[in-house]
Amino acid sequence: MGSPVLWYAKTATKPSFTIAAGEHKYLNYTFYYPGTLSWNEVEITMVDPTTPDVAGKLWEFLEKSGWIVPGPPSSTSKDAFGTISKERAVSGLGAVNVTQLDTYGEELEKWTMHNAFVTDVKFGDLAYGDDELTELSLTIRYDWANLANAGVTATL
């Protein structure tokens, strides 16, 4: 989302995948075979520390994805007629990594999600009765992921 921004997540699911199983029946037996692999969505919850403004950056992403604030139609601007596209959503979000750190702040694992885009954003709830910071959550969809840890890089 423009310049690289480092946000500390309160919770984050790591990339994961599911392999579909195909079934084949032969006489009195059933055999299973691995099918297609699908990557599962990643969910991230973070607090909005106000600098950098997470809510503002997520709104900026929405606009970079191609969403246009509804208003009076403008016959002079072709930008008034657009829609969210995968190309815009992926480039608007930029590179997405989930990095797990050890107790010393050293990198244990680094997941890189390819062609990632946001599918769900929750800007949080306001609770004036406590001192908690506002939590934001987002769900990210991606095509595939790479894992790098302990000097080994794997493309799954």
Side-chain angles (χ1 to χ4, degrees):
M1 289 189 266
S3 61
V5 177
L6 176 66
W7 290 325
Y8 288 98
K10 186 173 180 180
T11 63
T13 56
K14 294 180 189 179
S16 62
F17 59 86
T18 302
I19 299 175
E23 183 178 282
H24 178 73
K25 295 191 180 287
Y26 180 72
L27 298 175
N28 290 328
Y29 304 100
T30 302
F31 298 94
Y32 297 93
Y33 295 90
T36 58
L37 183 143
S38 297
W39 287 92
N40 301 316
E41 293 178 321
V42 167
E43 296 178 9
I44 300 171
T45 301
M46 60 193 103
V47 295
D48 193 350
T50 67
T51 305
D53 180 16
V54 177
K57 285 292 187 181
L58 290 173
W59 187 262
E60 184 179 307
F61 156 76
L62 182 62
E63 290 176 334
K64 286 182 178 180
S65 294
W67 187 76
I68 300 166
V69 176
S74 170
S75 60
T76 60
S77 174
K78 68 176 184 164
D79 293 331
F81 304 99
T83 186
I84 294 174
S85 70
K86 182 170 180 177
E87 179 184 8
R88 285 179 166 179
V90 169
S91 66
L93 187 59
V96 178
N97 299 305
V98 173
T99 306
Q100 181 179 344
L101 306 176
D102 66 13
T103 56
Y104 301 104
E106 299 294 323
E107 186 177 294
L108 287 174
E109 289 182 2
K110 181 177 182 180
W111 287 92
T112 301
M113 293 173 276
H114 298 275
N115 297 328
F117 58 95
V118 174
T119 60
D120 187 60
V121 174
K122 292 180 179 64
F123 289 102
D125 297 323
L126 299 175
Y128 296 104
D130 61 36
D131 294 334
E132 297 292 321
L133 295 171
T134 303
E135 289 185 359
L136 292 96
S137 62
L138 61 145
T139 304
I140 299 174
R141 172 64 74 190
Y142 53 100
D143 290 336
W144 78 93
N146 287 16
L147 169 63
N149 66 345
V152 177
T153 301
T155 300
L156 303 175

